[in-house]
Amino acid sequence: MASKEMTATLLTSILAAVFGSLQIGYHTGNVNAPARRDVTLASYVSYESGEALATVANTTLELRIIEEFFNHTWWSRHNQSMPDHSLTFLWSLSVSIKDFGALLGSLGVKCLADTFGRRNSILIVNALSVVGACLMFASKANESFEMLIVGRLVFGLFCGLVMSLNPLYIQEVSPTNLRGAFATLNQVSFATGILLGMVAGLETVLGTKELWAMMLSLSLIPALLQYLALPFCPESPRYLLINRGQESQAETALWRLRGPSDEVFTELEEMKQEAAHTQSALTVKEFFTKRSYRQPIIIVLIVNLGSQLSGFNAIINYSTKMFDKANFDEAKYLTLGVGAVNVTFTLVAFFLMERAGRRKLLLTGFLCLAVCNLSMTVIDSVLALVPELRSLQVLVVFFLISAYEVGPGPISWFIAAELFDQPARPIAMAFTSMLNWGGKFMLALLFPPLLKLCGAYVYLLFMTMALTAFSFTWRRLPETKGRTFDDIAAEFRGSEGIPLHNKTGFNTFP
């Protein structure tokens, strides 16, 4: 069945959509977070494996060059060097304002997705990426750090929107038996973008005083490719039928996506059944008050906060200090190794998603994150006595990345699209985006004082969060692998709880 449903149109639609996450990854990898001692963690704690991975990148590159750009601009205006505290603030602002923009962008997901459709919304928000990249590129020629900062803000709006719209579109155009694997490609594309950004940011490539603006503009290439490919891809059939009531257009879209197959009629009938069980429109207030949405909301809340607050970003940022103490060549190879491991294990997740299922991968990931946090506590506590353990810390970082990207990393971004019915899905994806970006900000605010207060034992708090997410996932999350949207939604309708076993037999973790 998989081979019949793997049409050229389906693959083109998915690959065209994930050009958006490739752009986000690229700008995460090429703008390295500062390694200065006087820069706060809030300036570089990252989204997903995003700017956290960038913190271990070649810190002799972007920080020095952008600081020189800030100083040069300030000198041309005021005939004096920029004060050190202002330089620190501007760099922190230029990095973190993307995250603030992403939070704002998340608020617009429902309006765009329901008004213009899933595919068209991706095309609309792609313009934000183009504008942001152009502003960042033009900032050097115009000697304006304000343009660089505004460009990052505009690009942040794009991040918040597209990281919700992409999984939404991919899940709705994919066949049931490939839905999770294809949704994981969004994370694969993001991780690939990070690695490409890291490589582009090397001084031997584009990370120089003369070429850094060009480096920031290269995201225009995947943006242009998306504009060339996505308009020729079909809109989500579920959106056309359930949201718009356009049955003939939905059937046409399904034929294009699935090819000549009896599965088209079966899938069309399943959509009609789902439409019969759902209301035509849903407000944000109804989303949070409707009884059948309570359990899915709690699941999405725990899975996403567990993913963000289980110590992944904090441990990656802590690894920056380890890499800085290595010599330049070693640090460079460790950095690229981090990016390579990140890409490798998102690909592993792609191949495992429809075999192992979401539950097993989430449970394994959260458990491994808990082990990593415990290891960090033990190693950090005795590091002063046994300095040789620093190499073991590097291994823990690599193990952490692999565990995160196989489970919580990709799944936390698309699980909401599987747990909710059609009217609630855009709101659920916006909720997911806000939890991810909000969780990152919470970590940025809390980690520095907690580290000062608790020292190495702060990682025990992250271990507790990972174990909490593990426990809740074990008890409450139903397996969604191989199940239709309507089947999953039926498990929540009119029920306060979730059965741990259902007729499909998927809700097990042997």
Side-chain angles (χ1 to χ4, degrees):
M1 178 182 295
S3 61
K4 292 182 179 179
E5 294 176 350
M6 192 89 71
T7 63
T9 300
L10 175 61
L11 289 175
T12 301
S13 300
I14 293 170
L15 293 177
V18 300
F19 277 132
S21 54
L22 182 69
Q23 298 172 60
I24 298 174
Y26 178 77
H27 277 286
T28 297
N30 66 20
V31 178
N32 302 331
R36 291 175 51 152
R37 292 189 300 272
D38 56 342
V39 178
T40 64
L41 182 70
S43 68
Y44 60 90
V45 169
S46 78
Y47 145 74
E48 293 299 330
S49 58
E51 279 168 72
L53 289 182
T55 64
V56 295
N58 185 356
T59 55
T60 65
L61 155 67
E62 193 72 16
L63 172 63
R64 174 177 54 81
I65 293 174
I66 298 298
E67 278 190 341
E68 288 180 2
F69 169 64
F70 288 165
N71 251 326
H72 175 75
T73 303
W74 189 269
W75 182 275
S76 65
R77 297 177 184 178
H78 305 286
N79 200 31
Q80 63 179 1
S81 297
M82 181 180 291
D84 189 63
H85 67 276
S86 298
L87 193 60
T88 298
F89 171 76
L90 277 179
W91 173 258
S92 301
L93 180 64
S94 65
V95 173
S96 60
I97 200 167
K98 178 173 74 71
D99 305 335
F100 177 71
L103 275 172
L104 293 180
S106 302
L107 300 175
V109 173
K110 170 179 165 52
C111 180
L112 281 171
D114 286 344
T115 302
F116 300 102
R118 284 42 167 162
R119 181 203 62 183
N120 292 340
S121 294
I122 294 174
L123 290 169
I124 290 171
V125 303
N126 195 38
L128 293 173
S129 174
V130 173
V131 172
C134 288
L135 285 171
M136 287 185 278
F137 173 72
S139 64
K140 182 176 184 290
N142 289 275
E143 296 187 347
S144 171
F145 55 75
E146 293 88 351
M147 291 183 68
L148 178 63
I149 294 171
V150 172
R152 293 276 294 174
L153 174 62
V154 173
F155 190 81
L157 294 172
F158 166 76
C159 294
L161 288 163
V162 82
M163 289 303 290
S164 295
L165 292 170
N166 273 4
L168 187 60
Y169 176 71
I170 292 171
Q171 292 246 320
E172 291 188 4
V173 301
S174 299
T176 299
N177 63 326
L178 296 172
R179 192 177 61 218
F182 282 157
T184 306
L185 286 178
N186 197 53
Q187 190 79 1
V188 173
S189 180
F190 175 75
T192 302
I194 291 175
L195 182 57
L196 291 175
M198 287 179 174
V199 173
L202 294 174
E203 280 190 295
T204 53
V205 186
L206 294 175
T208 65
K209 184 177 180 180
E210 294 77 19
L211 298 175
W212 67 266
M214 179 183 295
M215 177 188 67
L216 295 180
S217 70
L218 290 184
S219 63
L220 292 172
I221 296 175
L224 177 60
L225 290 175
Q226 186 171 75
Y227 275 131
L228 292 176
L230 195 57
F232 299 99
C233 301
E235 178 56 89
S236 160
R238 310 189 77 85
Y239 170 79
L240 292 172
L241 179 63
I242 301 176
N243 290 76
R244 292 301 183 189
Q246 299 172 350
E247 183 176 342
S248 60
Q249 289 91 330
E251 184 176 348
T252 301
L254 270 178
W255 279 108
R256 291 184 61 195
L257 290 165
R258 305 288 183 264
S261 170
D262 293 338
E263 294 298 321
V264 170
F265 300 105
T266 302
E267 195 167 343
L268 198 63
E269 186 61 31
E270 182 264 317
M271 292 183 197
K272 293 179 181 178
Q273 292 177 5
E274 182 180 350
H277 296 143
T278 58
Q279 60 192 86
S280 57
L282 185 75
T283 65
V284 174
K285 180 180 179 181
E286 290 171 336
F287 174 82
F288 286 104
T289 57
K290 191 173 181 179
R291 182 181 179 185
S292 61
Y293 292 157
R294 292 176 187 172
Q295 285 289 350
I297 287 174
I298 296 174
I299 291 172
V300 171
L301 177 69
I302 297 298
V303 168
N304 280 277
L305 290 185
S307 174
Q308 287 297 316
L309 303 181
S310 57
F312 173 78
N313 293 317
I315 291 179
I316 290 290
N317 284 319
Y318 182 88
S319 70
T320 305
K321 298 179 180 179
M322 296 184 294
F323 293 169
D324 284 344
K325 291 184 178 180
N327 63 62
F328 174 78
D329 289 336
E330 181 182 354
K332 178 173 63 175
Y333 291 128
L334 285 174
T335 295
L336 296 179
V338 166
V341 169
N342 192 40
V343 174
T344 299
F345 281 91
T346 53
L347 287 171
V348 170
F350 169 75
F351 289 107
L352 290 180
M353 195 60 64
E354 299 300 345
R355 297 182 181 183
R358 286 56 149 170
R359 270 176 57 86
K360 287 183 180 180
L361 293 180
L362 274 176
L363 289 169
T364 302
F366 283 132
L367 188 60
C368 289
L369 286 171
V371 171
C372 285
N373 279 289
L374 179 61
S375 300
M376 288 298 296
T377 300
V378 173
I379 294 172
D380 204 42
S381 298
V382 301
L383 193 59
L385 300 176
V386 190
E388 293 77 10
L389 288 179
R390 192 171 300 281
S391 60
L392 184 59
Q393 283 184 313
V394 176
L395 293 179
V396 170
V397 169
F398 277 75
F399 181 68
L400 169 75
I401 294 168
S402 61
Y404 185 84
E405 292 297 3
V406 164
I411 296 174
S412 62
W413 275 103
F414 71 76
I415 191 65
E418 296 188 321
L419 296 178
F420 291 88
D421 56 20
Q422 188 73 11
R425 202 166 290 133
I427 304 177
M429 292 306 297
F431 183 51
T432 294
S433 184
M434 295 186 71
L435 285 173
N436 274 282
W437 295 101
K440 174 179 67 71
F441 272 122
M442 187 184 302
L443 181 64
L445 292 173
L446 295 180
F447 183 67
L450 285 175
L451 183 61
K452 185 177 181 179
L453 178 66
C454 305
Y457 299 103
V458 68
Y459 297 105
L460 294 179
L461 299 177
F462 297 141
M463 181 189 73
T464 301
M465 188 64 204
L467 290 176
T468 300
F470 173 88
S471 176
F472 189 88
T473 300
W474 179 288
R475 292 183 295 109
R476 293 296 186 180
L477 178 67
E479 180 56 77
T480 58
K481 180 189 72 173
R483 301 173 63 187
T484 65
F485 286 121
D486 192 50
D487 180 35
I488 299 169
E491 197 164 327
F492 298 103
R493 281 194 293 265
S495 174
E496 289 288 344
I498 302 174
L500 289 178
H501 301 276
N502 56 50
K503 61 183 180 182
T504 64
F506 285 130
N507 294 13
T508 59
F509 186 68

